Amino acid sequence: MFDCCKKEPDVKEPTKIMTAKVFIVYYSTYGHVRQLALAMKQGIDSVEGVEGVLYQCPETLPKEVLEKMHAPPKPSDPVINIDDLPKADGFAFGTPTRFGGPSAQMKAMWDATGAHWGAGALQCKPFTLFTSTASQNGGQESTMLTMLSNMVHHGMIYVPPGYITPATNFDMTEIHGGSAWGPGCLAGGDGSRQPSEKELAFAKDSGAKLAKITLKLKA
Ligand SMILES: Cc1cc2nc3c(=O)[nH]c(=O)nc-3n(C[C@H](O)[C@H](O)[C@H](O)COP(=O)(O)O)c2cc1C
């Protein structure tokens, strides 16, 4: 029976651990964008109280087309369930460049978010962007600029890296992707170039910045 006179034992206030989840939602045909996604996760996870969770965009191309493109098998990262997007406190979205813009797979995901838009379910959620191109000047900035339109309509908050990693941003000693708009890598015309240390470090820094802002906005 409940005893209203019973003195409650002194309970110490537990240390409050703020936890925030950042969904890293990417599409990658050949794995370059996924490598950047992993570096983003490293940066996000380096901030106490924040966890990065990797998700792939649903594939839209038929198997036969992927085979003709010599696409390797998909990694084991879960495919994003669009209903789950509002569960994230922040996002990092990554896509390879397709003719200077985002991939159709990434766009198809956004085209399925009408219900979230109607409910304002993604309003004020912070996000950052990352990409990969075959060539230098292949359209990294135009890809991110074009992607932005989706998030703007959802009322989300862009967290671009700006010039947080001067060693990458201003480096003229080696070719590299990435800009103030977001990390990026150069895959080469045949996809043989892998993300460099500098490109991965920039993605890591950008993930850490996003994680810190996500925590602040959640507090
Ligand atoms: C249909 C198509 C269009 C592409 N358009 C561009 C482009 O505009 N600029 C560019 O530099 N690379 C372009 N690429 C190359 C991809 O961006 C490159 O394969 C990708 O960055 C590799 O990333 P992933 O390994 O994550 O798939 C294109 C590739 C395909 C298949």
Side-chain angles (χ1 to χ4, degrees):
M1 207 170 77
F2 178 66
D3 178 359
C4 63
C5 298
K6 196 175 154 206
K7 197 173 176 289
E8 288 294 323
D10 280 343
V11 182
K12 273 209 175 130
E13 191 70 24
T15 325
K16 238 185 184 174
I17 300 171
M18 172 71 78
T19 44
K21 273 203 190 318
V22 171
F23 285 10
I24 306 157
V25 185
Y26 73 90
Y27 175 75
S28 183
T29 307
Y30 302 107
H32 297 81
V33 172
R34 181 170 186 269
Q35 288 187 61
L36 293 177
L38 290 172
M40 280 272 177
K41 179 170 163 52
Q42 271 188 310
I44 291 163
D45 291 349
S46 73
V47 176
E48 205 180 320
V50 191
E51 186 196 359
V53 192
L54 286 170
Y55 289 106
Q56 306 181 59
C57 284
E59 183 55 85
T60 57
L61 290 175
K63 204 168 137 262
E64 303 74 52
V65 175
L66 289 168
E67 274 167 15
K68 283 187 180 153
M69 291 172 77
H70 306 290
K74 295 283 175 204
S76 59
D77 305 326
V79 172
I80 186 75
N81 175 346
I82 286 155
D83 291 345
D84 287 342
L85 285 173
K87 292 181 185 164
D89 301 300
F91 295 96
F93 296 109
T95 173
T97 289
R98 297 282 186 260
F99 307 121
S103 63
Q105 290 84 351
M106 175 59 76
K107 179 63 180 141
M109 185 193 77
W110 283 103
D111 288 1
T113 59
H116 293 328
W117 170 79
L122 303 179
Q123 275 283 352
C124 301
K125 303 242 186 206
F127 69 94
T128 200
L129 303 172
F130 57 104
T131 190
S132 165
T133 51
S135 60
Q136 292 183 80
N137 312 312
Q140 299 208 344
E141 285 156 312
S142 58
T143 297
M144 297 193 203
L145 181 63
T146 317
M147 267 236 270
L148 266 185
S149 175
N150 299 289
M151 296 86 183
V152 165
H153 281 250
H154 275 278
M156 299 171 77
I157 299 170
Y158 187 18
V159 183
Y163 285 75
I164 45 169
T165 314
T168 301
N169 291 124
F170 290 108
D171 180 51
M172 296 290 162
T173 62
E174 59 183 80
I175 60 165
H176 61 83
S179 71
W181 291 75
C185 72
L186 305 174
D190 60 0
S192 62
R193 184 179 183 276
Q194 298 306 309
S196 67
E197 269 180 37
K198 282 194 171 149
E199 289 166 340
L200 293 171
F202 190 33
K204 204 173 152 189
D205 290 351
S206 186
K209 175 174 175 179
L210 172 72
K212 286 176 199 155
I213 301 285
T214 302
L215 260 190
K216 281 191 180 169
L217 286 175
K218 205 186 170 186

